[in-house]
Amino acid sequence: MYPRKFDYYAPKTLSQALQLISEKGEDAKILAGGQSLIPMMKLRLASPAFVVDLNGIKELSYIKSEGGTMKLGSMTRHADIEHSSVVASKAPIMVEAASQIADQQVRNLGTIGGSLCHADPSADWPAVVLALDAELEAKGTVERVIRSKDFFKGPFETALSQAEILTEVRFRIPPAKSGYSYTKFERKAGDFATVGVATQLEMGEDGTVSKARIALTAAGPAPFRAEEAEKLITGQRPTAELVEKAAKAASDASDPAPDLRGSAEYKKDMARVFTKRSIRSALERAGVSI
Amino acid sequence: MSEGGAAANGRIGIKVVVNGSIHEDKVEPRLLLVHYLRETLGLTGTHVGCDTTNCGACTILMEAEGKWRAVKSCTMFAVQADGRKLLTIEGLAKDGELHPMQNAFWENHALQCGYCTPGMIMAAIGLLQYKPEPTEEEVRKGISGNLCRCTGYQNIVKAIMQGSKQMSANKQTIG
């Protein structure tokens, strides 16, 4: 399968890339890891006239831990995150999620920024950045920071404009006394999620949950934070009943579309089951048994 | 190669090192890397299976910042390989001797029709770049992007376990 013809540009700097996309306008498409865009171009679901390849821009690929903040360049590959010892020690939820994306070969090319900007409603990273309450830095004519909560607008739709490039994902490194889990339900190896739940919990000295962030992917038109579920467990000493209630609340907030991975009703129930498992696993890792 | 705002109409010159040989060609931007390898260079050992990033038959190794990584050559444009080193199944055997991973596939009867085999072997060597002596579970995860419709994976997994031990004993990372 061949894509339609296009003109190819491989800028070496971010400013060259920004100039190109602003010149070419709506007919330009940014190529990051290419693991979604190239298949779409081969199927001719996307036929951009101009392709601006970011793979030569070294300044967009890095993993840094600075003063309590974790920073990842948007062109950082899934595999770099999966195998990073810094990420494993500071934000293990990212390693757990990265290792569940597609397969080895796709992870070697695919990037976190590409995945976030593509905004597939079943992708893994969106739930994770929501659970980490990450900030997404974008550059265009001006630089701006978008909270992950405000970034995902709908299926394949983000808060970015055509003339902007996502440059960095950053978040406060979770404190030592915290628990995490990315729990993914997939129909077959390497598939997109039937449902995926990212949970990041912080525990207070008194044994109550001091902070809870729970985000779901593949459970609605866009990934979302299950805020009712978060409220239910925050400030509480966790119990099995409470976790069950929170899972029910997350399921109630979900609005999955029926497809080959299951009916809406089935997926709604799986949202409950996997939220429960995700919270339980996060609690266990925070050293809390219920 | 076009940089910055340089016009990129028509064909673009690329220079790649494939299995140790330098190749310079002018290619259309939409030419997929797998078609460049098969049709321009005549290296038909890299197969096209599904052509949709699922089956892994087109897996090759590509060097990036000094590290070899398994990639699906049906999901990259040839122009993106400009300046890179690539390794395909044809580059593994040396002086008439099979590579230890190829030999392990032979000894363990890890193939029937053989269509998936080049991709399996390249994915296996790709996995060893991260985990030189993988466990059986790690092998199974490592080849989860490669489909075999004949053997049911048992012998493939056995072969990769054996091949990894041999490569480790030889202190061999790639070819």
Side-chain angles (χ1 to χ4, degrees):
Chain A
M1 294 181 289
Y2 277 93
R4 288 210 175 85
K5 289 189 177 193
F6 58 86
D7 284 358
Y8 174 79
Y9 297 87
K12 290 279 185 259
T13 65
L14 181 62
S15 59
Q16 286 174 339
L18 286 168
Q19 196 189 329
L20 275 162
I21 58 166
S22 96
E23 266 170 38
K24 306 297 179 191
E26 289 291 320
D27 293 330
K29 191 83 189 152
I30 294 166
L31 176 62
Q35 303 303 287
S36 294
L37 179 59
I38 296 176
M40 284 174 71
M41 288 173 68
K42 289 167 72 178
L43 293 166
R44 303 203 174 190
L45 294 169
S47 294
F50 307 98
V51 168
V52 179
D53 184 354
L54 302 188
N55 284 279
I57 304 179
K58 298 276 176 282
E59 64 195 282
L60 289 178
S61 179
Y62 55 84
I63 295 173
K64 289 184 216 162
S65 160
E66 285 175 356
T69 302
M70 186 86 195
K71 299 176 175 181
L72 297 104
S74 56
M75 285 296 289
T76 307
R77 312 215 183 250
H78 308 319
D80 293 334
I81 298 171
E82 178 187 3
H83 298 283
S84 159
S85 53
V86 177
V87 180
S89 69
K90 308 284 184 191
I93 190 172
M94 296 193 99
V95 173
E96 182 159 74
S99 66
Q100 294 181 71
I101 299 171
D103 52 56
Q104 176 201 176
Q105 295 95 316
V106 168
R107 294 197 292 274
N108 279 336
L109 288 176
T111 65
I112 186 168
S115 170
L116 293 173
C117 294
H118 183 52
D120 188 302
S122 305
D124 300 298
W125 282 131
V128 177
V129 298
L130 284 168
L132 288 166
D133 198 18
E135 290 181 339
L136 306 174
E137 181 194 270
K139 287 192 177 135
T141 43
V142 293
E143 180 180 315
R144 65 181 177 127
V145 175
I146 306 159
R147 256 187 96 181
S148 49
K149 231 176 123 177
D150 304 320
F151 187 76
F152 305 101
K153 297 293 186 191
F156 307 101
E157 199 190 331
T158 70
L160 290 183
S161 78
Q162 168 66 31
E164 285 180 310
I165 291 176
L166 179 70
T167 51
E168 186 175 273
V169 177
R170 60 179 177 239
F171 54 87
R172 184 179 65 90
I173 293 167
K177 226 172 150 35
S178 59
Y180 68 92
S181 174
Y182 182 64
T183 312
K184 179 177 179 177
F185 176 37
E186 56 184 19
R187 192 179 48 115
K188 60 181 170 78
D191 199 7
F192 277 97
T194 300
V195 64
V197 186
T199 304
Q200 191 73 49
L201 301 176
E202 290 174 26
M203 301 301 299
E205 291 301 326
D206 60 352
T208 62
V209 175
S210 57
K211 193 174 264 183
R213 291 192 218 98
I214 302 166
L216 280 75
T217 189
F224 65 93
R225 287 259 300 269
E227 289 175 20
E228 281 306 313
E230 293 173 357
K231 274 185 210 146
L232 278 166
I233 57 173
T234 306
Q236 304 293 317
R237 204 173 284 276
T239 62
E241 295 73 37
L242 198 59
V243 172
E244 188 65 61
K245 265 191 199 164
K248 173 76 171 49
S251 168
D252 288 346
S254 73
D255 180 20
D259 62 15
L260 78 174
R261 295 186 182 90
S263 64
E265 189 190 9
Y266 171 72
K267 289 181 173 185
K268 238 177 145 54
D269 202 42
M270 290 305 104
R272 178 186 64 79
V273 171
F274 282 82
T275 302
K276 179 167 79 179
R277 290 185 191 174
S278 187
I279 299 172
R280 291 188 80 113
S281 150
L283 284 168
E284 214 168 277
R285 283 164 169 167
V288 180
S289 54
I290 56 166
Chain B
M1 176 107 167
S2 64
E3 290 178 17
N9 285 302
R11 289 173 176 250
I12 295 176
I14 60 166
K15 183 175 174 181
V16 290
V17 179
V18 183
N19 304 332
S21 310
I22 300 172
H23 298 269
E24 287 185 66
D25 285 288
K26 289 208 159 209
V27 298
E28 253 195 282
R30 65 173 169 167
L31 181 69
L32 296 167
L33 181 57
V34 70
H35 294 311
Y36 174 71
L37 293 169
R38 290 176 56 85
E39 289 159 27
T40 310
L41 302 187
L43 295 170
T44 53
T46 302
H47 292 165
V48 180
C50 68
D51 207 2
T52 55
T53 332
N54 285 290
C55 80
C58 64
T59 301
I60 63 161
L61 295 176
M62 179 170 80
E63 197 191 37
E65 280 100 48
K67 292 173 187 143
W68 289 94
R69 296 287 177 248
V71 298
K72 292 183 175 177
S73 63
C74 82
T75 313
M76 248 188 87
F77 295 117
V79 285
Q80 294 185 278
D82 183 39
R84 300 271 197 193
K85 285 186 199 163
L86 308 175
L87 188 67
T88 71
I89 192 78
E90 289 92 342
L92 290 185
K94 291 266 159 39
D95 308 318
E97 291 273 327
L98 289 181
H99 182 281
M101 193 57 80
Q102 289 175 307
N103 197 49
F105 270 63
W106 174 313
E107 284 185 359
N108 289 280
H109 192 68
L111 57 133
Q112 275 185 37
C113 84
Y115 201 88
C116 72
T117 311
M120 283 286 180
I121 290 176
M122 301 319 277
I125 299 173
L127 167 68
L128 304 186
Q129 307 313 303
Y130 292 113
K131 314 236 173 201
E133 289 195 67
T135 61
E136 180 180 329
E137 197 196 340
E138 286 166 345
V139 169
R140 289 182 182 274
K141 282 193 175 146
I143 58 166
S144 70
N146 293 71
L147 299 180
C148 164
R149 302 287 81 165
C150 302
T151 75
Y153 303 102
Q154 295 295 85
N155 289 350
I156 294 173
V157 173
K158 269 201 271 177
I160 296 172
M161 298 293 287
Q162 185 192 310
S164 68
K165 287 193 183 83
Q166 189 60 54
M167 283 176 69
S168 212
N170 297 356
K171 301 200 186 315
Q172 189 175 1
T173 52
I174 300 284

